[in-house]
Amino acid sequence: MTATYANLIGGEMVTTDATLDVVNPATEQVIARVPACGKGELDRAVDAARVAFKSWRKTTPEERQKVVLGIAAAIKDNADELFRLLTSEQGKPHAQAQQEIYGAAGLAKAQAGLTLDDVINQDDDTRLSRTRRVPVGVVGGIVPWNFPIMMAIQKIVPALVAGCTIVLKPSPFTPLTTLRIAELIKDVVPAGTVNIITGEDSLGPLITEHPGIDKITFTGSTATGKKIMEGAARDLKRITLELGGNDASIVLPDADVEKVAEQLFWSSFSNAGQVCIAAKRIYIHEDIYDDLSRAIADYAKGVTVGDGSQQGTGVGPIQNRKQFERVCDLIQDAKDNGYSFLTGGDTDPSGTGYYVPITILDNPPEDARIVAEEQFGPVMPLMKFSSVDEAIARANASQYGLAGAIWSKDTDAAVEIAEQLETGTVWINEFMHLSPLAPFGGHKQSGFGAEYGIDGLKEFTYPQVITVKRDAVV
Ligand code: NAD
């Protein structure tokens, strides 16, 4: 029998008559059903969040910290069950699912104690002026399918820490683990502070435009981000958007070919390339291009593509059919244009499971679709460059500006390049590291605002300045 999961609304687990099927991308089997919410359920969740906001906004930082630490503990204590469930709906190999679950618990723990202290602007005989931060109210959180738990937690936790309440919508493709967490935290969070409702994409605009919601925090594609900005404009909702990326890595000629090959591979292929901050274009200096591209391709041949629940799998399936077909189409386009492949390229859209072979392209042109578009799959173009200025210009020639990486023994030279990249994050000699305490956000069309750290927390608040005139005559 297929399991049916429930939503969390106002402290209760609730179901609906209408349901959505959830499919395991490794087998294409329906593994569970979840509520298909519409306006009625959304209204109930928003009402519950509004009621809860009245008392939650008055809680002390210590009270909020205790609740958030309770969420972290609930996730960590049930990590074994949660990571298996995550693999079954998302497709990522068990080890990567485990990292996501523990990472989410770690993020909650690290951000639980963040506080926004008052700032004194003026304190003299004339006046006392103080800025305090007040919670914006009810937050609508909208989450994608590539890191469903990390993304849900990075919205729920700062909302609670800031004194807001939240209505969260997981992706219709990956709602199960989030709903299991909802069940686990039901009695940890005060009723109504965290509400989790599931539905089709069409539930998204209802959230964006709901008059009872004060702020939207969204992670997903740039195209959807633009629609959200439009919807939120109606009543000037606050928004934070974490959107797409086409991140470039630049490998300088002094990099050790054998040592960086494996790291460059995983910077592109972890989670089957479905990572906003994955390296999606790798620029390699011409002096080491042949050796390094061969080393990456050789490493790739030893990595197994398969069902993430099976031991030994390094790269799982694409998460859903639509994305699978998109990635197959990009590969077909590369074939049609006669680009050369170092490995992979043989897709089989009619097979069972959304599997795409690890595919590496050999120096395709800059205007190839596979270079210019965010692939979001296990496909990576390697490109040759001859001067650093050229590499920087090519890396920056994108509508996106999420992240990037430089690989070199000369870290001073690498920092100089990093400072010229038009992205929110640049790594030197590593990739995908995000600190829970440092702002993470995209430049250009990769985002609006930031998550993480104090900057991220501030986005859940308004500044309020209170001024006391001391030498007034009243
Ligand atoms: P998506 O934009 O299709 O969907 C994301 C969420 O938005 C889902 O919950 C979906 O149901 C909802 N949604 C769809 N249409 C909506 C609308 N009109 N209004 C409101 N909500 C709507 O994205 P996806 O395909 O789930 O995720 C992949 C994308 O997410 C990639 O572009 C990736 O780069 C991006 N992403 C960005 C980050 C980041 O931090 N910058 C992280 C992960 C993923």
Side-chain angles (χ1 to χ4, degrees):
M1 207 180 82
T2 310
T4 301
Y5 286 65
N7 284 183
L8 176 60
I9 301 181
E12 304 290 332
M13 298 308 294
V14 298
T15 53
T16 54
D17 291 338
T19 57
L20 301 177
D21 289 346
V22 180
V23 170
N24 179 337
T27 61
E28 297 184 54
Q29 299 293 312
V30 173
I31 51 171
R33 297 201 169 84
V34 299
C37 293
K39 190 172 174 320
E41 291 81 13
L42 173 61
D43 285 345
R44 275 182 62 196
V46 173
D47 286 350
R50 289 232 75 86
V51 170
F53 179 58
K54 288 186 193 147
S55 46
W56 184 251
R57 67 177 306 167
K58 294 184 188 145
T59 51
T60 63
E62 292 72 26
E63 287 166 326
R64 295 175 196 170
Q65 185 178 24
K66 194 166 160 236
V67 168
V68 171
L69 289 176
I71 296 175
I75 295 173
K76 193 161 166 251
D77 294 348
N78 294 280
D80 202 51
E81 175 199 344
L82 292 172
F83 84 72
R84 288 172 202 284
L85 184 59
L86 180 57
T87 292
S88 72
E89 63 174 337
Q90 204 285 334
K92 63 184 66 181
H94 272 164
Q96 292 173 32
Q98 222 166 355
Q99 273 174 17
E100 180 172 349
I101 297 297
Y102 281 110
L107 182 78
K109 198 171 165 205
Q111 293 190 343
L114 288 180
T115 50
L116 291 171
D117 298 327
D118 290 1
V119 174
I120 301 299
N121 311 306
Q122 185 180 348
D123 183 5
D124 56 25
D125 293 344
T126 315
R127 67 174 59 79
L128 173 64
S129 164
R130 173 173 64 96
T131 305
R132 62 194 285 261
R133 309 289 314 194
V134 294
V136 291
V138 173
V139 174
I142 304 178
V143 171
W145 45 258
N146 59 343
F147 285 87
I149 303 310
M150 201 65 185
M151 304 296 155
I153 292 302
Q154 74 192 45
K155 303 203 173 335
I156 292 171
V157 163
L160 292 180
V161 169
C164 297
T165 57
I166 186 164
V167 176
L168 183 98
K169 186 190 93 59
S171 165
F173 294 114
T174 51
L176 299 184
T177 317
T178 315
L179 293 182
R180 179 65 186 123
I181 291 174
E183 217 177 326
L184 293 169
I185 65 170
K186 180 172 86 70
D187 299 320
V188 172
V189 299
T193 52
V194 177
N195 305 275
I196 302 182
I197 58 171
T198 47
E200 302 273 11
D201 282 354
S202 53
L203 182 60
L206 298 179
I207 294 176
T208 312
E209 291 164 22
H210 200 291
I213 291 181
D214 304 291
K215 175 195 166 69
I216 300 292
T217 173
F218 168 78
T219 301
S221 63
T222 295
T224 306
K226 289 178 184 175
K227 289 184 196 155
I228 286 180
M229 202 163 185
E230 263 180 61
R234 293 183 184 200
D235 50 6
L236 281 186
K237 282 188 179 63
R238 272 41 191 171
I239 49 171
T240 303
L241 305 175
E242 294 294 352
L243 309 176
N246 194 1
D247 297 0
S249 264
I250 298 176
V251 192
L252 299 186
D254 67 348
D256 184 315
V257 165
E258 291 309 319
K259 287 189 181 143
V260 298
E262 180 177 347
Q263 298 182 72
L264 285 169
F265 176 85
W266 288 112
S267 75
S268 274
F269 290 99
S270 104
N271 201 24
Q274 303 163 112
V275 190
C276 54
I277 49 175
K280 295 177 183 129
R281 300 176 285 155
I282 300 196
Y283 294 101
I284 301 172
H285 192 273
E286 59 188 2
D287 289 356
I288 56 167
Y289 182 85
D290 290 345
D291 289 346
L292 183 53
S293 56
R294 199 176 314 114
I296 297 172
D298 285 349
Y299 182 84
K301 286 171 192 151
V303 177
T304 306
V305 177
D307 185 330
S309 67
Q310 300 304 306
Q311 216 172 357
T313 296
V315 171
I318 295 288
Q319 199 283 321
N320 59 75
R321 174 156 287 281
K322 189 169 153 224
Q323 182 61 17
F324 171 67
E325 286 170 356
R326 201 186 149 261
V327 174
C328 291
D329 180 55
L330 274 179
I331 292 174
Q332 189 57 47
D333 177 79
K335 283 183 176 169
D336 293 346
N337 280 286
Y339 305 144
S340 121
F341 290 71
L342 287 161
T343 189
D346 293 324
T347 53
D348 176 13
S350 62
T352 302
Y354 308 139
Y355 295 109
V356 171
I358 293 167
T359 299
I360 302 178
L361 278 103
D362 182 13
N363 205 24
E366 204 64 22
D367 62 355
R369 280 187 59 205
I370 211 126
V371 178
E373 294 181 22
E374 180 187 37
Q375 311 102 12
F376 229 61
V379 183
M380 165 165 75
L382 304 179
M383 274 94 64
K384 211 183 280 190
F385 73 90
S386 49
S387 81
V388 164
D389 286 347
E390 174 207 339
I392 294 170
R394 289 167 73 183
N396 284 339
S398 171
Q399 59 166 338
Y400 296 113
L402 195 55
I406 321 288
W407 301 82
S408 171
K409 290 193 181 71
D410 184 345
T411 49
D412 289 342
V415 168
E416 216 170 284
I417 297 171
E419 288 176 355
Q420 296 174 71
L421 292 188
E422 297 164 355
T423 61
T425 299
V426 188
W427 297 283
I428 290 157
N429 298 332
E430 66 170 348
F431 59 96
M432 289 190 205
H433 167 76
L434 296 181
S435 160
L437 306 179
F440 168 60
H443 294 189
K444 303 196 276 190
Q445 294 192 35
S446 283
F448 196 90
E451 291 189 292
Y452 287 35
I454 290 295
D455 296 81
L457 192 56
K458 278 185 180 165
E459 301 222 354
F460 291 84
T461 65
Y462 295 122
Q464 183 188 43
V465 180
I466 297 185
T467 303
V468 179
K469 184 90 164 90
R470 282 187 168 138
D471 59 357
V473 180
V474 284

